[in-house]
Amino acid sequence: MPTTQRTETILLSSGALARSAGLTVDTLRHYERIGLLPAPVRTSGDHRRYSPEVLERLTFIRVGQRLGLRLEEIRELLDACDGTTDCPVGTAERVLRQRIAEVDEQIGQMTSLRGRLMLAVSRIETHSGDITTLLDEPARPPQTPVRVKGSG
């Protein structure tokens, strides 16, 4: 009599999946609520059970986070990849280029902030008023020594 091979998918509990992914169960639930994770199957006792493929999805999410992507951007990439064997590179490139532009803007803002802080530090040495007015003062041009004719 031939034997039939039964392939059963081993489903992971929330705790086992969270431990495997290095996350908390609360994080899994949050990802499920916002649509990053598919709804898991439920046991008769209403416990969540996840397929092993969800671990790959969590790895993708963590890589995206390490790249500085927001969860919304990660969801966009996951949505583009769902149902395909290979994610569309056009979507990934667009999302990453957009994030690069945002990072460039943030760098500009931080550079500007650094300049204001440096100006504040330089003004502290000559400032004699209330500290709260330190940045309200207009920038002073650098002082150059005045030369008097005949001295020298």
Side-chain angles (χ1 to χ4, degrees):
M1 179 193 243
T3 59
T4 57
Q5 250 187 344
R6 212 173 142 184
T7 56
E8 266 186 49
T9 302
I10 298 173
L11 298 178
L12 302 167
S13 68
S14 297
L17 179 63
R19 278 189 301 278
S20 295
L23 301 170
T24 65
V25 172
D26 285 340
T27 300
L28 293 180
R29 289 182 185 144
H30 175 68
Y31 288 172
E32 183 185 335
R33 270 192 311 276
I34 65 172
L36 286 175
L37 294 181
V41 297
R42 300 281 185 145
T43 66
S44 59
D46 204 33
H47 296 281
R48 291 171 169 88
R49 293 293 183 258
Y50 296 90
S51 69
E53 291 80 29
V54 173
L55 187 56
E56 292 174 25
R57 195 171 179 96
L58 290 169
T59 300
F60 185 95
I61 292 168
R62 296 201 47 183
V63 168
Q65 287 177 315
R66 278 188 247 131
L67 286 173
L69 297 178
R70 295 179 189 93
L71 292 179
E72 178 182 305
E73 294 160 331
I74 294 168
R75 181 181 30 250
E76 184 177 349
L77 290 174
L78 285 168
D79 289 347
C81 295
D82 280 346
T84 66
T85 56
D86 196 17
C87 290
V89 294
T91 302
E93 182 179 6
R94 182 184 49 75
V95 168
L96 293 174
R97 286 189 184 280
Q98 182 178 354
R99 188 66 179 121
I100 289 168
E102 291 169 358
V103 167
D104 286 343
E105 183 179 329
Q106 290 172 333
I107 289 171
Q109 291 170 354
M110 295 307 290
T111 300
S112 176
L113 174 59
R114 185 180 190 282
R116 290 192 308 273
L117 289 168
M118 295 295 289
L119 179 61
V121 167
S122 70
R123 287 181 175 174
I124 285 174
E125 297 170 356
T126 59
H127 186 75
S128 59
D130 182 0
I131 194 75
T132 60
T133 62
L134 187 63
L135 291 178
D136 293 336
E137 296 176 9
R140 294 186 203 131
Q143 298 293 323
T144 55
V146 179
R147 295 185 184 244
V148 179
K149 287 186 177 181
S151 66

